[in-house]
Amino acid sequence: MARYDRAITVFSPDGHLFQVEYALEAVRKGNAAVGVRGTDIVVLGVEKKSTAKLQDSRSVKKIVNLDNHIALACAGLKADARVLINRARIECQSHRLTVEDPVTVEYITRYIAGLQQKYTQSGGVRPFGLSTLIVGFDPYSSVPSLYQTDPSGTFSAWKANATGRNSNSIREFLEKNYKETSGQETIKLAIRALLEVSFIGYF
Amino acid sequence: MECVFGLVGNDFAVVAADTSAVHSILVHKSNEDKIMILDSHKLIAASGESGDRVQFTEYIQKNVALYQFRNGIPLTTAAAANFTRGELATALRKVEDQMILESCKSSSGVPLVLSHYNPYFVNILLAGYDKETGPSLFYIDYIATLHKVDKGAFGYGSYFSLAMMDRHYHSGMTVEEAIDLVDKCIMEIRSRLVVAPPNFVIKIVDKDGAREYAWRESVKDAGVPSA
């Protein structure tokens, strides 16, 4: 087994790409991030681990804007995230320049997932160690969207999802408690989902 | 015959531009907006080759937006002006290679490349308002001259508008005084320039942001004739 996890471009005999699976492990170690879609709102929440005393926590941005109408949260290797986010921001402006229209949420998700996939099929590189949750409204639309990408480059739309540490427990909670909500109710649902795994007030 | 001019007031900057889009002897349209809102507190008034004008200012606008997303803070007016000048300067001397078609390849099969410069023929007045430093106006011409000015103008109209502004401008003008001066310049251009553009647009930028102020139309586009 060990022979098949060195290069990303090598399949194992039972059809695994071990580097991609190891990247998913890196995601599982990252901070929890949750996304919940309502009828007129979409909410992103991230777990804020207690930071070092001397660190200026304001400089640690876990939810970022890709454009005026699109936001992204991720779990995994934060340095890889910076690279991906930068490329996505450039693509958002480039799209506006060439077609004079902002990107749709699906377009930019497809772009980011495409980038992540490229790095699973090239020599001498490793995959990005992060999964992203991308939210926003399509231009001229009041329909909210929530998408998720992962290191393998797959993406899909979700009503609610979580990634990072304890994402399975959060997803279980969401599956049990999700219903179509709007406004503050959706925000409350996202917070309650995070509280399942974040021990606030414990110490 | 394109006319663009602007000036700085006490806590605002105002720019005016003609709105004619001309090709040789034909007027394509007389309501072409040549003053682009670069971001919430910046205006870019451009005159020159119409293709270059739109392509170049949109390129600057998208790069200014990208900076804001990357850094969480907008560019200052001076920074945007220097970036714009830098792009114009680069285009002046950076060689652009164009691959020649298959049919024109040399006999040895080596691909032919045509190298040329690709300057932008656009003159720009960049007006902006920064919270820390107040209003400012930058004069940027097509060969990448950059000057920070209180009043500036481009085109044949500049002979008249600059003269009017030299006579009537003083620092710290109110909006009413400034618009009055802009109107004086437009009057002068209309009466003294041989092929004077009929319509103008005026835009203003202050602490509340960049916005359209008014149009000055002496010729409206002909409506649908009644049957």
Side-chain angles (χ1 to χ4, degrees), chain A residues 88-162:
Chain A
R89 281 172 169 159
I90 292 173
E91 179 61 20
C92 284
Q93 295 305 315
S94 177
H95 187 275
R96 278 178 184 263
L97 189 60
T98 47
V99 305
E100 269 200 30
D101 238 357
V103 296
T104 59
V105 190
E106 197 249 355
Y107 177 95
I108 198 65
T109 305
R110 205 169 350 111
Y111 177 80
I112 292 175
L115 268 182
Q116 287 182 289
Q117 190 280 340
K118 234 187 280 264
Y119 283 72
T120 68
Q121 212 175 7
S122 302
V125 299
R126 62 164 178 80
F128 288 97
L130 67 142
S131 292
T132 69
L133 286 172
I134 299 164
V135 301
F137 287 79
D138 282 350
Y140 322 116
S141 162
S142 53
V143 176
S145 304
L146 166 66
Y147 284 84
Q148 191 215 32
T149 74
D150 65 28
S152 66
T154 51
F155 74 93
S156 56
W158 293 76
K159 294 184 192 150
N161 201 358

Side-chain angles (χ1 to χ4, degrees), chain B residues 153-175:
Chain B
F154 282 109
Y156 283 118
S158 69
Y159 289 113
F160 308 104
S161 51
L162 228 33
M164 286 309 276
M165 290 196 283
D166 283 345
R167 171 70 183 82
H168 294 288
Y169 177 89
H170 59 88
S171 64
M173 293 174 86
T174 64
V175 177

Side-chain angles (χ1 to χ4, degrees), chain A residues 192-203:
Chain A
R192 253 185 279 131
L194 267 176
L195 281 173
E196 282 287 299
V197 298
S198 243
F199 301 103
I200 298 176
Y202 238 49
F203 47 87

Side-chain angles (χ1 to χ4, degrees), chain B residues 1-2 18-22 27 29-32 34 197-199:
Chain B
M1 301 296 174
E2 289 191 0
D18 79 284
T19 58
S20 60
V22 170
V27 178
K29 60 194 290 207
S30 48
N31 60 354
E32 169 85 353
K34 298 178 193 168
N199 302 335

Side-chain angles (χ1 to χ4, degrees), chain B residues 61-136:
Chain B
Q61 185 191 51
K62 298 323 182 225
N63 272 283
V64 167
L66 183 61
Y67 180 96
Q68 176 151 2
F69 281 110
R70 274 194 178 137
N71 300 284
I73 188 174
L75 276 168
T76 60
T77 311
N82 276 282
F83 172 68
T84 305
R85 185 216 93 93
E87 290 300 305
L88 285 169
T90 302
L92 274 181
R93 290 196 169 83
K94 180 159 170 262
V95 171
E96 235 177 65
D97 290 333
Q98 184 185 356
M99 294 292 289
I100 301 296
L101 297 169
E102 285 284 327
S103 50
C104 312
K105 273 197 180 144
S106 67
S107 52
S108 60
V110 174
L112 278 175
V113 163
L114 189 70
S115 299
H116 62 259
Y117 298 116
N118 182 31
Y120 294 103
F121 286 107
V122 208
N123 295 311
I124 282 167
L125 279 177
L126 205 160
Y129 184 93
D130 304 304
K131 220 165 37 171
E132 301 82 12
T133 50
S136 50

